[in-house]
Amino acid sequence: MERIIAVDISGRHRHNSRYVMVCAAVSLSVSGGHVKQIHGVNIKPFVSDTPPEVVDVVQMIERTVEGMEGITIVAEEGDLFNQPEWLSNSMFTASFKYPESLSERMGIEIAHHISLSSRNLLLDPRSWELIKDNL
């Protein structure tokens, strides 16, 4: 069984005049084609006036995975602008790779659903009313 941190970023396109992005990281144990256990989830929002570059994405991922347990960070090639894996890996302080197994892809899919849903909540004015009432 392998321990990884699957990561996804939603919102790398302009919304109104800004880039409202959410990075989700899921620490999980995987084996072959199965997700065995989810150990934790971190979600961090990021806002920028300019489109993110590769270095920005690496910083977003590293800030989101801080404090999580996992041997390797796994993210889709597209999240890092289709850079070669060796180049992306060299930018991270932790071990990094693109998904190779079905279970790693499933972990990224879980992170994707979390990042997209979280971003949609951030952009929905109705959710701010719910949050305000529960503070």
Side-chain angles (χ1 to χ4, degrees):
M1 199 162 10
E2 182 184 8
R3 186 89 174 254
I4 64 168
I5 301 174
V7 177
D8 183 75
I9 299 174
S10 290
R12 286 190 359 208
H13 52 275
R14 186 179 289 277
H15 178 78
N16 293 333
S17 62
R18 304 178 97 182
Y19 294 82
V20 179
M21 299 163 282
V22 173
C23 183
V26 181
S27 173
L28 53 142
S29 295
V30 296
S31 178
H34 303 321
V35 171
K36 298 292 187 180
Q37 184 177 1
I38 294 177
H39 302 283
V41 174
N42 281 0
I43 305 165
K44 293 225 184 285
F46 297 92
V47 179
S48 174
D49 292 328
T50 58
E53 296 185 16
V54 177
V55 173
D56 302 318
V57 171
V58 169
Q59 290 173 351
M60 283 187 257
I61 291 172
E62 289 211 325
R63 286 184 53 201
T64 304
V65 304
E66 269 180 18
M68 296 185 86
E69 290 187 31
I71 295 171
T72 304
I73 298 169
V74 181
E76 289 286 351
E77 248 181 289
D79 277 348
L80 290 151
F81 300 92
N82 297 314
Q83 297 290 324
E85 186 173 36
W86 66 267
L87 182 58
S88 295
N89 188 17
S90 71
M91 293 185 215
F92 283 90
T93 57
S95 176
F96 173 86
K97 71 176 189 172
Y98 295 136
E100 297 169 353
S101 69
L102 178 60
S103 56
E104 290 170 349
R105 292 185 189 286
M106 291 169 73
I108 290 172
E109 186 175 342
I110 293 167
H112 171 72
H113 287 293
I114 294 169
S115 68
L116 182 60
S117 298
S118 300
R119 182 174 183 272
N120 288 341
L121 281 172
L122 280 175
L123 297 177
D124 186 346
R126 295 173 297 173
S127 65
W128 287 101
E129 288 301 314
L130 293 172
I131 293 168
K132 180 184 72 164
D133 293 343
N134 291 305
L135 292 178

